[in-house]
C-alpha cells in the first residue's frame, strides 16, 4: 500500500492480456484431447475421483444436478439422419479449461479464484465465500459447488482411508473444479527443485491423462517448446492468447480447435476433431 | 522485477489458509523454506513433526476386478493404498487402467466388507471365531468327515495361476471333478470356434495391424476379453493409417459408439449377415485364399437379397462392408456376446470366423497366442455352461459340500434355474467372500477373505497379448484393514494340510508362492528379464515375469457353413439384450459407489437400471424417457424406466446387467432390476452355453413415470462446436497418412 | 450591564413581518434587524428578503467532502490492488481504471453526503442550548421573534411588541 | 403540472393545528386491519427465519440450486427489492428539485419504503452465499495477510453501492423528519416525548436552522439522484458484466433503472392505498395525488416497455446465437408462461391507469398496483433463470423451480419489509406535517395572488424566472412552481 509502488510501476500495472498481461509465467500448463481416439470409457473420470477426493453424491442429488464430476464425459447424439445412429455416439471429456483469460476470475468478489504463475486457474477453497458468480460466468459450466456437506455421507468408514492427503476434502459452501492435478504439479516441481534441474516434459501427468487407456489425453507445459503438448499445438496451429485464431491458408482444415475460442477466453485445452470414415 | 509475484509471495499473503489448492501436495518442508521471507512462510507452513506430508511409494500388483489380469501400481502413503494406476511393465495394459481397475480401492475399503467368519446357526448367520469356523470346516470336510468324491463341488469365477493350482489340488485330494467355473461375461463360444477352426482357443488379435475391423457384437473396448489392452491397440489402429471400425450388433455398445459404421442387424441373424458378406466376396472373387467348392456351394444360398430379408441390413450396406473388407485390408473380423449367445451362436461365430479365413487374415491380424508354458497355471476361463451344470447338480441334489469363491451364481443364474432355491438342498455351503452377496448369505459358513490389495496370488491372463507369455504377481499393497479376514490361499492351504502332509512345510500361502514360483519350469525361470535378480525379487519389483515361448502357427480349417435363423412363433415379438458394460460388469461391482455414480457410457444413466428402446418402438408403446415399461418373458418379467435412442434395433430391448441385487451392501441392494432373472433356459446347441441373448420378450407400457436420473441436459450440441466430426479424407489431407 | 432576551409570539407571518419592517424602520430603539432571530413552524419563503441575507456555508464543506472522497477512492483502490498482485485476473491489468471509476464515484457521494449532514448539524447550531425561551405553539402555527436587548430598553420593546399584536411575550435574563 | 386539476392537491384551509392533531392521532390509533397485517407479516418473517436456519445448517442444496442454476430466486428477489427502493428516494428527490408540491404528503413513507426495501435487499446477497460467516471478506479492510477483495467484481461494487445508498437515503429520510420530530416532541408525552426529544436534535425552528436545513436538503437531493441511478446500474452490471447470453446486454443499466422506478411507483401506489385506509388519511393522501402518481407510473411503464422492445429487437437482429436462443426460449420454452405474465403485467396492465374512474377507485388501484409489482418481480426472475437454464453449454441445460426453502425465504422477505414499514409508520409520522403546512400555506398564498393580481401572466413569468434561479441561487424559493 505505498504510493511509491504505484507511481513507479503504474504503467506496468496497466498491462493487460493484449500486451502480455501482468504475469511473467513460469509455466503454462495445457492439454490436448484427441476426440478421434477417445472412446468415452470414463477411465479419466474415475481416476479424477480417486485422485481429487471427489464426493459421490448419490442418486437423489445427482438427479438434482448436484454431482461433483470435475471430469465429465459428455455424450451427444446429433444430426442423425435416418433411423440409426450409424456414426456412433459423440464423446467429449469436459473439464475446466483453465482459461488464460478466464471469465470466472474477474467476477469473484474475494479473489478466491486467480491465475497462478503456472498458468493455472486456481481455486482457493479457504478464501471462497460461495457467491457462485464464477460458475455463472463459466461458459463451459465446469465449476462445481459444494451444495451440501458431501463428506458427511460420501466416505463411510473405512472408505475415507482412500482419501488423498495431498489435498483437502471440501465442505459445504465452497466452489471447486479441476485443478490440472495441481498437487502433482507441485510434487513434480519440488522433486525437480531437489534434484536441481528444471521440470522436464512428462514429469507431471494428470490423473486423467495417466489413466486414459487410449492415450487420447496429452498433458504438458505449453511454454516448453519441446513438450508433446506444444508440439501438437504447433502442429494444429493453436496458439496462446485470448483472441479468436485464424489458421494459415496452407492447412486451414487441420483438426485442432479450442471450444468457445470465439469468446476470447484462451482455453488451455485443445481438442482434436473426431474423425469418421464416411465412405463406410 | 521488483514486484514480481511468485508462489511464495502469494503464500505469504494467503498463508496456509490460501493454500487450498495452491499448496496441496507440497511433499517436503524443504520446498517451503525459502530464500526470501523465510520466517513468515515457515511460521505459516512448517507443519508439526508428525504432519510432514509424506511421499507416495508405488508397489506393483495385479488387478482382480475382471479376468483380463492387468498389472497395477498402487500408491501407498502412510501405510494406506490411495490410488492405483496401470503397471507400465505389463504387456496387458501398458500402464493404463479402466474405471473398474481404478475402483479397486473402493472394493478394498468398501464399508460393506465381511469382517469376521460367520456360521449359520438356525436360520441366521452369526459371527464366530476363526477357530470355530476352521473346526467346523474340518469336521465337515476333513479326512474323517467321510465326504468324498463328486459330492464335493467348487464354484468359482475365472481362476488362474497358483490359486487354480491349489483349487485343483484340493479337489483332487477330495477326489472330485466338480469345479464349476462360472462367468456371465465370457467368450467361450468364440474360444471353442477358435479351437475348432484355428487350433488356438485364444488367438492373438492384432487390432493395430488391421485396416478395417468388422465386429459382430464384440464390445472389445468395453467388455470383450481384455478391454484395456484392446483400447491401447485400438488407439494404434486409429492413429497412423486410421483403420475403420464396423460394428454389427442389436444394441450399441461402447465399441459401437466408436464405430465408423454401426449396423443394427436383426438380433440373432449376425451369422447370416457374415455368410452373406462371405458369399458376396466369393462371387466377386475378392477372397484372398481359395475356398473349396463345397463351401462355396453351401454359401451360395446366402444371396444379398435373401440376407437382407433375414437380417434387415440393406443390400447396399452389405456390399459396402464387403468392399471395405477387401479394399482396406488386412481386415479383422470378430464376434462377441450378442452374436455368440444364441441357440445357434456357434454357427454364427463360425460364419464370422469363415470371413477371417476367406480374407486370409490368419497369420496377419490373427496369430497364435503365446500359451504359458506351465499348463497348470493357465487360466480356467469361466462360462455359463458350468452354471447350467451346477444348477442341474443342485436340482438333482448331487452335492453335499459346495465351495463358492469369487462368483455369485445366486445372482447371475436365471430365475427358472432355481439356483438359490436349490442351494438350500446342499448340506454344507462354504463361501470364500469379501462381501455379503446373494450367494454368500445363503452359505452355512462364510469365510471373509482378503481384498485384492491385501492378498497374495499369481495370475496368468487368459488372453496373452504379447509374443512372450506373462505371469502377473498379485502382492499385498497394505496390511489388511480388517483383523479377521484371511487370504484365500491361506485358507485353502490349511484345508490341504488336513489331507496332504506335503503342504505342511508351508507356513502360509506367501511361502508357498515363493517356492512354487522359484520352482517353475526352466523355460519360465530361465527367460526372466533382468536376469541379474532371481525370479521372485524380479516379480516383486516388476509385478510380472515374461516367459518367451515358441508359438506354432495357426492351422485354419475351412468347413462348410450352415446358419439357420430360428423362426419365432411365440407371443414374444422382441429380443431381450442383457447388455454388459464396462463398470458394473456382470454386477460384481454394483457395490462400488464410484461405479454406481459414473454414467453408463451410452445411455448416461446412473444409480439404476433402464431399458433401451428405439424411438419407433417407444412411439408404438407411447412411452418417453423415464416412463416405466414391463419387460415380460416366458420365465418372468421386470419393470424399469426407458431410455430412448437410435442406437438400438427396433425389435430389441436392452436391459443392462449389474443392478437388481437383493443383497450386496448399501450401494447395490434393492437398486434396479436384473435382466438375467427373466432369461429362458435356452442352450447354445454346440457348446451347451446359456444362450443369454436368445430370450424373447414382450414390452408393455407400465403407465408410470419418474425422472430418469442421467447425465446431461441436451442430447444435442445445438450447433455449438463441442465435438466436430470430419471425414477421413480431410484427415488424410491435413495430417497425411501417418 | 445585564441584558434580557425577549420572545414575542405572533399569529402569522404577516404580523411578524410587520414588526420586522417596523424594526427596520427604527421605530424602536435598541433592536437591530440583524439581532432578530425568527422562529416558525414552517420556513417562510421570503424570510430572507425581510431579515436580509445571512450566510450559508454548507456547500463548501460538501465540495470538500466530494473531492476528498474521489481522491481517497483512487489512491485507496489502486494502492490496494498494487499491493495484492495475485489479483490480475482474466487477463485484466492490476489497476483496472474503468472499474475503479465506479467505486470512486460511489465514494465521492458517500463522503459528500456524510460531510454535508455533519456540517449541517453544526452550522445550523442544532443541539446547542441557546436560551430557554421557547413556546410549543411554535410547532403548531405561531411565529416567534427573539431579540436581545439591554435592560434599559426592556419595557419600551415589550410595549412595542404588545402594540403590534404580539399574542404573548416571554423574557429571560441572559 | 398541477394546473389542470379539477380538485386540489389538498384543501389549503386545513387548520395547521388539525394537521398536527390528525397525524399524531394516526400514530396512536390505526384501524384493526393494521394489526392483522402486522401479524401476517410477522408469521411470514418467522417462516423465513426457520428456512434460513435450515439452509445455513444444511448448505445451499436445500434451496434446490444446482450446477447450471447457481443463482435463482434469491438474486432475482435481491434485484426486485433494490428496484423497489428507487421510487422513494429518487422520486422524492427529483420532485423536490423540480418543486412538485404534491410530493409533500406522500414522500415520507416513500422514503421509508426506500430505506426498508434496501434493508431487505441487503439480506439476499448474504442469504445466497455459500459461506455467510465469511461475508466480511467482501469489505476492503486492511488484513495482516495483505488480502483485498477483488475490486473488479460487480459484487464488490454492489457492496459499495448499497452501503452508500442505504446510508445516504437513511440520512435523507432522517434530515427530512427533524422538524416533525420537533413537533412530536412538543405535542406528545411519555416515552415518545423523550424519544423525539433526542431525535429532533434540539430543533427550534429559528431562521438559521431553516436556512441551513433547506440548503442541506437540496444538496442531499442533488446527490441522491445520480446515486440512485448509479446503484441500479451497478446492480444491473452484476449481469451485464458477465458473458452469459441474455445477461451480457448493453441496455441493461437504463433498463434496470426504469424497471426500478416502475416497481417503486407501483409499490408507492400499494402503500398509498393501504396507509390511506389504515390511518384514515383521506384528507392528506388525496385522490388528486393518487392520480398524479398513476400518471407518473404510466409514463415510466411506457419507458420500461420501450426498453424491453429495444432489448428484444437488438438481440433479435444481433448475431449472437446464444442470446437469440435464450430470447426464444424465454418466449416459447418452459418459462414461457412466466415470461408472458411479465409482459402482460408490465406492458398491458398499466393501460388501466389511463382511465380516471379507475385511478380514483382505491380498491382497483390496489389490485392494479399489486399486478404491476408481480410483473416486476417476475421480470427479475426472467432475467436470472432462463439464462442459467440455457446458457452456452447444452450439456448443462436444466430447468429449475426453486425449493420450498427458497420460496419461504423469498416470501419471508416481504414479511420482513412489511414489518419494518408498519413499525415505522407507527413510530414516525408517515405524512410530513411541516411540509403539508407549507403546502397549505403556499396554496393559500397562490390563490390570494390569483385573486388580487390581474396581471396574472407577468407574475407567472416572474415565478418561472424565480423558479429557474431557485436551484442555482437558494434563498429565493420556488413556491410558484407548484
Amino acid at each position: 500500500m505505498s504510493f511509491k509502488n504505484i507511481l513507479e510501476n503504474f504503467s506496468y500495472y496497466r498491462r493487460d492480456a493484449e500486451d502480455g498481461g501482468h504475469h511473467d509465467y513460469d509455466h503454462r500448463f495445457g492439454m490436448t484431447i484427441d476426440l478421434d481416439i477417445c472412446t468415452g470409457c470414463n477411465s479419466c473420470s474415475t481416476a479424477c475421483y480417486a485422485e481429487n477426493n471427489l464426493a459421490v453424491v448419490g442418486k437423489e442429488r445427482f438427479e438434482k444436478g448436484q454431482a461433483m464430476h470435475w471430469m465429465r464425459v459428455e455424450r451427444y447424439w446429433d444430426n442423425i439422419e435416418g433411423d440409426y445412429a450409424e456414426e456412433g455416439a459423440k464423446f467429449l471429456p469436459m473439464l475446466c479449461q483453465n482459461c488464460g483469460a478466464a471469465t470466472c476470475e474477474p467476477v469473484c468478489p474475494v479473489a478466491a479464484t486467480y491465475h497462478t504463475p503456472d498458468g493455472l486457474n486456481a481455486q482457493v477453497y479457504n478464501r471462497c465465500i460461495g457467491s457462485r458468480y464464477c460458475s455463472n460466468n463459466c461458459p463451459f459450466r465446469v465449476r462445481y459447488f459444494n451444495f451440501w456437506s458431501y463428506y458427511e455421507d460420501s466416505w463411510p468408514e473405512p472408505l475415507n482411508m482412500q482419501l488423498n492427503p495431498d489435498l483437502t476434502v471440501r465442505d459445504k459452501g465452497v466452489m471447486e473444479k479441476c485443478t490440472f492435478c495441481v498437487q502433482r504439479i507441485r510434487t513434480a516441481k519440488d522433486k525437480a527443485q531437489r534434484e536441481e534441474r528444471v521440470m522436464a516434459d512428462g514429469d507431471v501427468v494428470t490423473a486423467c491423462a495417466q489413466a486414459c487407456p487410449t492415450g487420447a489425453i496429452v498433458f504438458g507445459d505449453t511454454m516448453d517448446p519441446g513438450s508433446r503438448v506444444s508440439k501438437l499445438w504447433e502442429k494444429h496451429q493453436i496458439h496462446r492468447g485470448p483472441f479468436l485464431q485464424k489458421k494459415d491458408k496452407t492447412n486451414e482444415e487441420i483438426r485442432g480447435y479450442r471450444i468457445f475460442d470465439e469468446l476470447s477466453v484462451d482455453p488451455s485445452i485443445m481438442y482434436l476433431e473426431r474423425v469418421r470414415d464416411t465412405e463406410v | 522485477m521488483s514486484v514480481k509475484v511468485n508462489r511464495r509471495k502469494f503464500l505469504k499473503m494467503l498463508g496456509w489458509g490460501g493454500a487450498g489448492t495452491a499448496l496441496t501436495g507440497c511433499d517436503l518442508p524443504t520446498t517451503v523454506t525459502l530464500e526470501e521471507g523465510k520466517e513468515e512462510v515457515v511460521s505459516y507452513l512448517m507443519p508439526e513433526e508428525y504432519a510432514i506430508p509424506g511421499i507416495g511409494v508405488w508397489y506393483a500388483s495385479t488387478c482382480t476386478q475382471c479376468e483380463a489380469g492387468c498389472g497395477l501400481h498402487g500408491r501407498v502413503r502412510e501405510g494406506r493404498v490411495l490410488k492405483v494406476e496401470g503397471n507400465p511393465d505389463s504387456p496387458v495394459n501398458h500402464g493404463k487402467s479402466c474405471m473398474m481397475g481404478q475402483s479397486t480401492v473402493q472394493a478394498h475399503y468398501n464399508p460393506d466388507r465381511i469382517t469376521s467368519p460367520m456360521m449359520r446357526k438356525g436360520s441366521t448367520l452369526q459371527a464366530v471365531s476363526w477357530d470355530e469356523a476352521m473346526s467346523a470346516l474340518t469336521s465337515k470336510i476333513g479326512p474323517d468327515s467321510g465326504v468324498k468324491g463328486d459330492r464335493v463341488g467348487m464354484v468359482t469365477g475365472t481362476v488362474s495361476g497358483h490359486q487354480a493350482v491349489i483349487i485343483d489340488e484340493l479337489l483332487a485330494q477330495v477326489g472330485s471333478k466338480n469345479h464349476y467355473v462360472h462367468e456371465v461375461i465370457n467368450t467361450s463360444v468364440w474360444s471353442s470356434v477358435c479351437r475348432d477352426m484355428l487350433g488356438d482357443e485364444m488367438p492373438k488379435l492384432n487390432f493395430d495391424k488391421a485396416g478395417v475391423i468388422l465386429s459382430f457384437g464384440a464390445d472389445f473396448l468395453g467388455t470383450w476379453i481384455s478391454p484395456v489392452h484392446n483400447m491401447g491397440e485400438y488407439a494404434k489402429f486409429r492413429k497412423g493409417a486410421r483403420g475403420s471400425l464396423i460394428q454389427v450388433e442389436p444394441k450399441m455398445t461402447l465399441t459401437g459408439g466408436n464405430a465408423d459404421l454401426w449396423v443394427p442387424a436383426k438380433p440373432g441373424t449376425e451369422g447370416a449377415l457374415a455368410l452373406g458378406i462371405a458369399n458376396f466376396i466369393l462371387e466377386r472373387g475378392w477372397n484372398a485364399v481359395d475356398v473349396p467348392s463345397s463351401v462355396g456351394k453351401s454359401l451360395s444360398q446366402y444371396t444379398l437379397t435373401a440376407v437382407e430379408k433375414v437380417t434387415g441390413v440393406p443390400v447396399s450396406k452389405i456390399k459396402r462392408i464387403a468392399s471395405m473388407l477387401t479394399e482396406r485390408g488386412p481386415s479383422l473380423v470378430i464376434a462377441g456376446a450378442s452374436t455368440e449367445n444364441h441357440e445357434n451362436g456357434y454357427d454364427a461365430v463360425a460364419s464370422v470366423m469363415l470371413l477371417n479365413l476367406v480374407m486370409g487374415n490368419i497369420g496377419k491380424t490373427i496369430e497364435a497366442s503365446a500359451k504359458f508354458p506351465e499348463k497348470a497355471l493357465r487360466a480356467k476361463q469361466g462360462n455359463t455352461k458350468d452354471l447350467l451344470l451346477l444348477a442341474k447338480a443342485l436340482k438333482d441334489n448331487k452335492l453335499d459340500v459346495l465351495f463358492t469363491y469369487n462368483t455369485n451364481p445366486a445372482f447371475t443364474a436365471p430365475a427358472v434355474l432355481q439356483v438359490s432355491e436349490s442351494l438350500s438342498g446342499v448340506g454344507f455351503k462354504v463361501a470364500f467372500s469379501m462381501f455379503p452377496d446373494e450367494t454368500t448369505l445363503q452359505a452355512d459358513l462364510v469365510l471373509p477373505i482378503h481384498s485384492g490389495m491385501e492378498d497374495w496370488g499369481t495370475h496368468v491372463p487368459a488372453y496373452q497379448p504379447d509374443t512372450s507369455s506373462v505371469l502377473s504377481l498379485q502382492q499385498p499393497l497394505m496390511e489388511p484393514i480388517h483383523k479377521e479376514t484371511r487370504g484365500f490361499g491361506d485358507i485353502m492351504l490349511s484345508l490341504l494340510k488336513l489331507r496332504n502332509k506335503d503342504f505342511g512345510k508351508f507356513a502360509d500361502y506367501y511361502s508357498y508362492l515363493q517356492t512354487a514360483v522359484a520352482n517353475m519350469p526352466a523355460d519360465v525361470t530361465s527367460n526372466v528379464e533382468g536376469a541379474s535378480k532371481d525370479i521372485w525379487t524380479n516379480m516383486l519389483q516388476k509385478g510380472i515375469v515374461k516367459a518367451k515361448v515358441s508359438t506354432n502357427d495357426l492351422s485354419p480349417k475351412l468347413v462348410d457353413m450352415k446358419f439357420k435363423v430360428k423362426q419365432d412363433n411365440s407371443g414374444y415379438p422382441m429380443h431381450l439384450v442383457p447388455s454388459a458394460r464396462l463398470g458394473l460388469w456382470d454386477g460384481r461391482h454394483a457395490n462400488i459407489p464410484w461405479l454406481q455414480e459414473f454414467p453408463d457410457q451410452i445411455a448416461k444413466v446412473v444409480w439404476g437400471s433402464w431399458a433401451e428402446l428405439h424411438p419407433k418402438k417407444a412411439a408404438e408403446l407411447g412411452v418417453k424417457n423415464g416412463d416405466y415399461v414391463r419387460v415380460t418373458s416366458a420365465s418372468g418379467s421386470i419393470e424399469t424406466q426407458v431410455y430412448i435412442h437410435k442406437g438400438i434395433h427396433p425389435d430389441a430391448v436392452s436391459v443392462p446387467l449389474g443392478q437388481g441385487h437383493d443383497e450386496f451392501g448399501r450401494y447395490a441392494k434393492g437398486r434396479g432390476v436384473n435382466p438375467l432373472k427373466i432369461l429362458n433356459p435356452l442352450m447354445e446347441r454346440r457348446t451347451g452355453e446359456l444362450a443369454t441373448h436368445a430370450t424373447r420378450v414382450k414390452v408393455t407400457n407400465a403407465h408410470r413415470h419418474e425422472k430418469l436420473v442421467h447425465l446431461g441436459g441436451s442430447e444435442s450440441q445445438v450447433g455449438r462446436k463441442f465435438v466436430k466430426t470430419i471425414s477421413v479424407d480431410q484427415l488424410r489431407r491435413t495430417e497425411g497418412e501417418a | 450591564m445585564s441584558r434580557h432576551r425577549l420572545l414575542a409570539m405572533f399569529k402569522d407571518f404577516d404580523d411578524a413581518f410587520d414588526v420586522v419592517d417596523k424594526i427596520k424602520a427604527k421605530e424602536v430603539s435598541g433592536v437591530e434587524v440583524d439581532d432578530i432571530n425568527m422562529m416558525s413552524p414552517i420556513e417562510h419563503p421570503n424570510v430572507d428578503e425581510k431579515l436580509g441575507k445571512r450566510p450559508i456555508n454548507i456547500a463548501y464543506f460538501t465540495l470538500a467532502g466530494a473531492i476528498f472522497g474521489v481522491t481517497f477512492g483512487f489512491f485507496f483502490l489502486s494502492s490496494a490492488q498494487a499491493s495484492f498482485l495475485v489479483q490480475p485476473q482474466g487477463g485484466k491489468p492490476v489497476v483496472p481504471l474503468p472499474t475503479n471509476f465506479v467505486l470512486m464515484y460511489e465514494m465521492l457521494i458517500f463522503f459528500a453526503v456524510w460531510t454535508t449532514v455533519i456540517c449541517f448539524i453544526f452550522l445550523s447550531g442544532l443541539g446547542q442550548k441557546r436560551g430557554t425561551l421557547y413556546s410549543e405553539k411554535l410547532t403548531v402555527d405561531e411565529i416567534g421573534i427573539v431579540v436581545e436587548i439591554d435592560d434599559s430598553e426592556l419595557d419600551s420593546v415589550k410595549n412595542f411588541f404588545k402594540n403590534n399584536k404580539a399574542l404573548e411575550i416571554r423574557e429571560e435574563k441572559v | 403540472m398541477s394546473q389542470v386539476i379539477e380538485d386540489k392537491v389538498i384543501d389549503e384551509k386545513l387548520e395547521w393545528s388539525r394537521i398536527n392533531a390528525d397525524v399524531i392521532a394516526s400514530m396512536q390509533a390505526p384501524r384493526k386491519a393494521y394489526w392483522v397485517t402486522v401479524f401476517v407479516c410477522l408469521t411470514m418473517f418467522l417462516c423465513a427465519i426457520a428456512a434460513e436456519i435450515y439452509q445455513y445448517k444444511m448448505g445451499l442444496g436445500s434451496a434446490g440450486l444446482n450446477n447450471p442454476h447457481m443463482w435463482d430466486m434469491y438474486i432475482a428477489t435481491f434485484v426486485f427489492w433494490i428496484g423497489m427502493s428507487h421510487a422513494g428516494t429518487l422520486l422524492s428527490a427529483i420532485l423536490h428539485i423540480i418543486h412538485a408540491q404534491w410530493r409533500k404528503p406522500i414522500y415520507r413513507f416513500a422514503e421509508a419504503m426506500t430505506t426498508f426495501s434496501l434493508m431487505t435487499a441487503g439480506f439476499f446477497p448474504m442469504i445466497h452465499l455459500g459461506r455467510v460467516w465469511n461475508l466480511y471478506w467482501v469489505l476492503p479492510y486492511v488484513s495482516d495477510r495483505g488480502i483485498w477483495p477483488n475490486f473488479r467484481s460487480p459484487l464488490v461494487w454492489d457492496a459499495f453501492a448499497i452501503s452508500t445508498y442505504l446510508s445516504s437515503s437513511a440520512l435523507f429520510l432522517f434530515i427530512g423528519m427533524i422538524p416533525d420530530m420537533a413537533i412530536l416532541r412538543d405535542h406528545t408525552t411519555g416515552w415518545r416525548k423523550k424519544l423525539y426529544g433526542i431525535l429532533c436534535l434540539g430543533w427550534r425552528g429559528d431562521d438559521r436552522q431553516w436556512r441551513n436545513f433547506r440548503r442541506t436538503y437540496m444538496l442531499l437531493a442533488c446527490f441522491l439522484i445520480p446515486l440512485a441511478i448509479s446503484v441500479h446500474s451497478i446492480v444491473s452490471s452484476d449481469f451485464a458484466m458477465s458473458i452469459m447470453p441474455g445477461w451480457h446486454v448493453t441496455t441493461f443499466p437504463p433498463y434496470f433503472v426504469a424497471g426500478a422506478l416502475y416497481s417503486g411507483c407501483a409499490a408507492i401506489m400499494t402503500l398509498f392505498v393501504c396507509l390511506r385506509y389504515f390511518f384514515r388519511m383521506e384528507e392528506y393522501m388525496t385522490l388528486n395525488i393518487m392520480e398524479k402518481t398513476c400518471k407518473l407510473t404510466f409514463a415510466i411503464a411506457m419507458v420500461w416497455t420501450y426498453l424491453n422492445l429495444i432489448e428484444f429487437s437488438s438481440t433479435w437482429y444481433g448475431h449472437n446465437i446464444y442470446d437469440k436462443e435464450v430470447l426464444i426460449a424465454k418466449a416459447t420454452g418452459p418459462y414461457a408462461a412466466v415470461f408472458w405474465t411479465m409482459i402482460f403485467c408490465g406492458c398491458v396492465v398499466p393501460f388501466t391507469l389511463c382511465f380516471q374512474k379507475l385511478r380514483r377507485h382505491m380498491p382497483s388501484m390496489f389490485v392494479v398496483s399489486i399486478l404491476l409489482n408481480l410483473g416486476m418481480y417476475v421480470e427479475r426472475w426472467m432475467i436470472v433463470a432462463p439464462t442459467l437454464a440455457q446458457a452456452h453449454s447444452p450439456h448443462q441445460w436444466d430447468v429449475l423451480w426453486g425449493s420450498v426453502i427458497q420460496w419461504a425465504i423469498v416470501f419471508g422477505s416481504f414479511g420482513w419489509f412489511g414489518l419494518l414499514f408498519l413499525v415505522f409508520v407507527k413510530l414516525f409520522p408517515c405524512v410530513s406535517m411541516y411540509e403539508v403546512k407549507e403546502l397549505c400555506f403556499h396554496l393559500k398564498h397562490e390563490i390570494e395572488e390569483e385573486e388580487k393580481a390581474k396581471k396574472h401572466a407577468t407574475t407567472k413569468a416572474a415565478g418561472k424566472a424565480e423558479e429557474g434561479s431557485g436551484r442555482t441561487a437558494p434563498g429565493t424559493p420556488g413556491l410558484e412552481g407548484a
Side-chain angles (χ1 to χ4, degrees), chain B residues 313-344:
Chain B
V313 181
V315 170
S316 56
K317 206 150 270 157
I318 303 175
K319 284 182 176 166
R320 257 159 68 201
I321 296 174
S323 48
M324 287 297 291
L325 285 176
T326 333
E327 293 155 15
R328 293 284 180 81
S331 59
L332 172 61
V333 192
I334 53 181
S338 58
T339 306
E340 298 171 326
N341 299 324
H342 289 278
E343 285 171 284
N344 53 5

Side-chain angles (χ1 to χ4, degrees), chain A residues 20 70 185 189 218 221 246 266:
Chain A
W70 287 3
I185 295 176
K189 274 187 150 184
V218 179
D221 181 358
K246 290 257 162 298
D266 186 16

Side-chain angles (χ1 to χ4, degrees), chain B residues 573-602:
Chain B
M574 307 266 293
H575 297 259
L576 174 63
V577 181
S579 57
R581 85 190 217 213
L582 183 63
L584 297 187
W585 204 247
D586 60 1
R588 71 180 58 174
H589 298 321
N591 63 341
I592 294 181
W594 283 347
L595 295 178
Q596 285 279 10
E597 182 118 336
F598 297 136
D600 168 69
Q601 290 87 350
I602 297 296

Side-chain angles (χ1 to χ4, degrees), chain D residues 54-130:
Chain D
Y54 180 77
Q55 177 181 302
Y56 183 94
K57 218 177 144 300
M58 298 303 292
L60 276 158
S62 53
L65 303 174
N66 66 11
N67 183 333
H69 287 275
M70 287 291 178
W71 293 352
D72 194 38
M73 268 155 37
Y74 289 154
I75 295 300
T77 321
F78 162 70
V79 179
F80 173 77
W81 283 116
I82 293 280
M84 188 107 130
S85 71
H86 273 52
T89 303
L90 197 50
L91 289 184
S92 152
I94 290 177
L95 295 177
H96 176 69
I97 284 183
I98 63 171
H99 300 285
Q101 298 290 352
W102 59 270
R103 91 184 234 286
K104 289 183 169 166
I106 58 165
Y107 85 91
R108 173 67 48 75
F109 75 78
E111 283 176 13
M113 182 182 85
T114 296
T115 316
F116 296 140
S117 46
L118 268 174
M119 289 166 69
T120 318
F123 275 119
F124 279 89
M126 308 184 196
I127 291 173
H128 104 120
L129 277 193

Side-chain angles (χ1 to χ4, degrees), chain A residues 1 64-66 76 106-109 126 128-133 135-137 144 147-148 172-173 260 262, chain D residues 56-57 59-61 65-67 70-71 128 130-131 137 147-148 150 153 156 238 242-244 322 388 395:
Chain A
M1 298 257 334
K64 286 211 190 85
Q66 298 166 339
Y76 294 107
V107 296
C108 174
N126 306 46
C128 178
I129 61 171
S131 77
R132 310 192 296 295
Y133 200 164
S135 172
N136 273 354
N137 210 22
Y144 300 91
F147 286 107
W148 311 87
K172 68 166 183 280
F260 289 139
E262 68 270 26
Chain D
Y56 183 94
K57 218 177 144 300
L60 276 158
L65 303 174
N66 66 11
N67 183 333
M70 287 291 178
W71 293 352
H128 104 120
R131 305 204 298 171
W137 287 352
I147 309 176
W148 293 94
N150 173 14
S153 168
V156 173
D238 281 354
S242 81
I243 64 163
M244 289 294 113
Y322 307 121
L388 295 176
H395 186 269

